[in-house]
Amino acid sequence: MKLPIPTAATLLALTLLAATPAARAVVLYDAAAGTLPSAQGWFTSSTAGAVAGSQSVAGGVLTIDSTGAGVVAFGNARVSPVALDATSGYAVDFSLKLLSESHASANRAGFSLLLVGSNPAQSVELSFWDNRVWVPSFDAADPDRFVQGAGAAFDTTAAMTDYRLVVQGGGYSLSAGGQALFSGTLQNYAAGGSPYNMANVVFFGDNSSRGSAAVALGAVSVSAVPEPGTWALMLAGLGAVALAGRFRRQV
């Protein structure tokens, strides 16, 4: 049987697909495994001398609670196996629902997700209230140092929501349930000391003595974002494919 000869456009498209690296997600934590973060490579910490918060896993959900009396701060940290390189870009996907949250300052939140970049001067921290998600900026002249920055109103208590944070080229963008929330520039928190000056650190939990929360967390994963040059190559290739198709139709 005679096989059809692929067109130049088809060969080009196949070459592009083969050459484009897949942005495979690396799971950092998955509550569906039925184990606590400490069993999946995370270090669980609380403030020395204070009451520790609590966390438990049931039904594929990790519940983290720092609302108890005497709890100062409580959470989980690890070094990301994927470099959090803002230049080449990366994306973090996580599912989350706030069960309750309170804060005693406009510059604090009961739950945060911190991503310290490969270059700590290019980092981002997401702070969650029950009705807002925002990113703190660092102001050495302010008594709080970490002060509320860019953000957007959003009901974080309504349902378990899939969030996606994309970091690339000195900026970030956050979406929730596939809908864009807000974007901004990366922050330099390094003057805040550990862990803000430690490269590639990921933290989730309560990191404030003036905030507390109970949250339900599903999975957290990180993946590399294809470099702009790769996208340019793909777009150029797709343009060539479309052009080749036009020439065939005109012949």
Side-chain angles (χ1 to χ4, degrees), residues 74-209:
F74 180 74
N76 305 275
R78 68 169 294 169
V79 173
S80 171
V82 175
L84 303 181
D85 188 333
T87 301
S88 59
Y90 63 91
V92 177
D93 294 279
F94 59 102
S95 54
L96 177 72
K97 177 183 179 180
L98 264 66
L99 306 176
S100 67
E101 192 276 337
S102 64
H103 49 274
S105 167
N107 294 325
R108 296 294 183 266
F111 181 83
S112 297
L113 173 67
L114 169 67
L115 299 154
V116 183
S118 299
N119 175 0
Q122 295 179 309
S123 302
V124 60
E125 180 172 341
L126 299 174
S127 297
F128 290 82
W129 290 353
D130 58 6
N131 61 355
R132 184 174 177 81
V133 186
W134 52 277
V135 168
S137 56
F138 189 86
D139 184 353
D142 191 286
D144 277 347
R145 298 196 301 166
F146 291 84
V147 297
Q148 185 174 166
F154 185 72
D155 186 355
T156 62
T157 68
M160 184 70 84
T161 301
D162 293 328
Y163 294 88
R164 182 171 177 84
L165 175 71
V166 178
V167 173
Q168 192 166 39
Y172 65 83
S173 61
L174 179 68
S175 61
Q179 208 166 23
L181 283 185
F182 67 97
S183 59
T185 57
L186 296 175
Q187 301 294 314
N188 184 356
Y189 304 129
S194 177
Y196 295 101
N197 55 6
M198 302 169 63
N200 298 310
V201 167
V202 182
F203 168 88
F204 63 81
D206 175 3
N207 62 3
S208 171
S209 62

Side-chain angles (χ1 to χ4, degrees), residues 208-229:
S208 171
S209 62
R210 288 181 284 167
S212 62
V215 305
L217 181 73
V220 182
S221 64
V222 60
S223 56
V225 173
E227 295 181 7

